[in-house]
Amino acid sequence: MNLTIGLPHFLVVAAVLFALGLVCVLSRRNAIGLLMGVELILNSANINLIAFSRFIENGISGQVFALFVIVLAAAEAAIAMAIVLAIYRSFKNIDVALTVNLKE
Amino acid sequence: MTLSLSRSLDFVSTITFPDLVFFFLAVLILGCGFVVVYSKNIVHSGFSLLGTFAGTAGLYGLLSAHFVAAAQVLVYVGGVLIVILFAIMLTRGIQEAKASNPSTGLIPASIAGLVVASMLIVIAVSFPWKTKALTEAASTVPQIGHALLDTYLIPFEILSVLLLAALVGAVMLVRKEIKSDSEETEA
């Protein structure tokens, strides 16, 4: 594995992915679309963690933290989907701009 | 196309095969990311997420984080993506047909994203990172196993409790409405 590209390449990919996730979170009105943006952001953070752990530390702590992030993302996705389904059941809609009442 | 590619390969002899893999993965990740953000159809967004997750797993493999790459495929592609697709299918009734994934203020949001991306890229490119010379990467899987049960034992255990809490919480959230329905029928 003779990789001639360096750390900045990976950081640039992660930065663009983060910006895409940010745009998604800012502009989407569908709750599931919002969640996809959050997943993009978490993935970009993971790329950063692993790239730093490979190029600067050359160890494994970054990988362990990336694993923790993956587990948290899975838990977050499960909870968020349950919330989305609960919202859909009471509002018959998952447009975040329309679900403004906390109580029926 | 292939001819020009091979010619440029001859000229740029410093580009190695892993580099080409990196550029392919970067295009895959960012291209699918664009579709996720800008697609009008949420089903397309959901399926494009597959390309982003799989490409990210490839990047982890390229950085010799094989265990994380495997976890990414198992958890993201096999778990999170399926959950997202299930939620799309279960909630699509109201928003079928036309634009099922509405966005508001896409242009201001895109400008904000562009500003953030350019800032981050400038930092990433211009900062003098103290990188170490890349050593031949051995498999890090045994090290990760030892670290998880040694240095990171407490976070690891807390994480398992968190997963249990998330499991119970998700079931609670989805069950709640059914319970109130049965109460209504009793009353």
Side-chain angles (χ1 to χ4, degrees):
Chain A
M1 281 292 255
N2 41 354
L3 211 60
T4 55
I5 52 171
L7 177 63
H9 294 77
F10 289 93
L11 295 187
V12 166
V13 172
V16 177
L17 196 61
F18 175 80
L20 282 173
L22 191 69
V23 174
C24 199
V25 170
L26 284 177
S27 65
R28 282 294 191 220
R29 290 179 60 190
N30 188 323
I32 300 174
L34 279 179
L35 199 80
M36 289 179 188
V38 175
E39 300 295 341
L40 291 185
I41 290 176
L42 288 170
N43 262 296
S44 77
N46 266 354
I47 293 176
N48 266 9
L49 279 174
I50 292 182
F52 280 129
S53 108
R54 177 85 174 101
F55 284 97
I56 291 191
E57 186 210 15
N58 206 0
I60 54 151
S61 58
Q63 295 184 26
V64 173
F65 273 90
L67 280 174
F68 288 165
V69 172
I70 288 177
V71 173
L72 285 175
E76 171 249 328
I79 292 291
M81 287 312 156
I83 292 174
V84 165
L85 287 183
I87 288 176
Y88 176 64
R89 209 180 274 146
S90 45
F91 287 91
K92 296 285 167 276
N93 205 326
I94 51 169
D95 190 329
V96 289
L98 299 178
T99 52
V100 289
N101 299 322
L102 285 175
K103 211 178 151 198
E104 283 183 77
Chain B
M1 180 70 190
T2 52
L3 197 122
S4 68
L5 188 70
S6 63
R7 200 185 296 153
S8 65
L9 273 183
D10 288 338
F11 284 126
V12 191
S13 57
T14 52
I15 288 187
T16 58
F17 179 66
D19 294 346
L20 287 179
V21 173
F22 168 81
F23 288 119
F24 169 73
L25 290 174
V27 169
L28 177 72
I29 292 173
L30 298 181
C32 287
F34 267 102
V35 177
V36 170
V37 179
Y38 291 104
S39 171
K40 287 255 184 287
N41 188 335
I42 190 148
V43 180
H44 295 170
S45 290
F47 279 105
S48 309
L49 219 50
L50 171 68
T52 308
F53 289 161
T56 314
L59 275 194
Y60 298 160
L62 208 60
L63 288 166
S64 355
H66 304 121
F67 186 73
V68 186
Q72 168 91 5
V73 172
L74 285 175
V75 176
Y76 267 108
V77 181
V80 173
L81 193 62
I82 300 298
V83 170
I84 286 178
L85 289 177
F86 258 105
I88 291 172
M89 301 302 177
L90 286 174
T91 57
R92 214 153 70 96
I94 22 94
Q95 294 179 332
E96 76 269 87
K98 47 180 176 47
S100 64
N101 199 2
S103 330
T104 44
L106 200 55
I107 293 168
S110 301
I111 292 170
L114 210 62
V115 170
V116 170
S118 44
M119 262 164 47
L120 288 175
I121 288 172
V122 166
I123 293 170
V125 172
S126 63
F127 191 82
W129 302 106
K130 290 191 176 62
T131 53
K132 287 182 183 172
L134 281 189
T135 51
E136 191 59 41
S139 174
T140 54
V141 180
Q143 290 179 49
I144 289 179
H146 282 296
L148 278 182
L149 291 179
D150 185 5
T151 322
Y152 299 101
L153 179 62
I154 303 289
F156 184 64
E157 294 297 334
I158 291 175
L159 215 53
S160 61
V161 176
L162 176 105
L163 276 180
L164 180 67
L167 189 72
V168 175
V171 172
M172 270 289 295
L173 280 170
V174 182
R175 284 274 159 186
K176 205 174 141 201
E177 199 69 19
I178 296 171
K179 210 172 85 185
S180 66
D181 279 355
S182 66
E183 276 168 4
E184 278 168 20
T185 50
E186 279 166 22

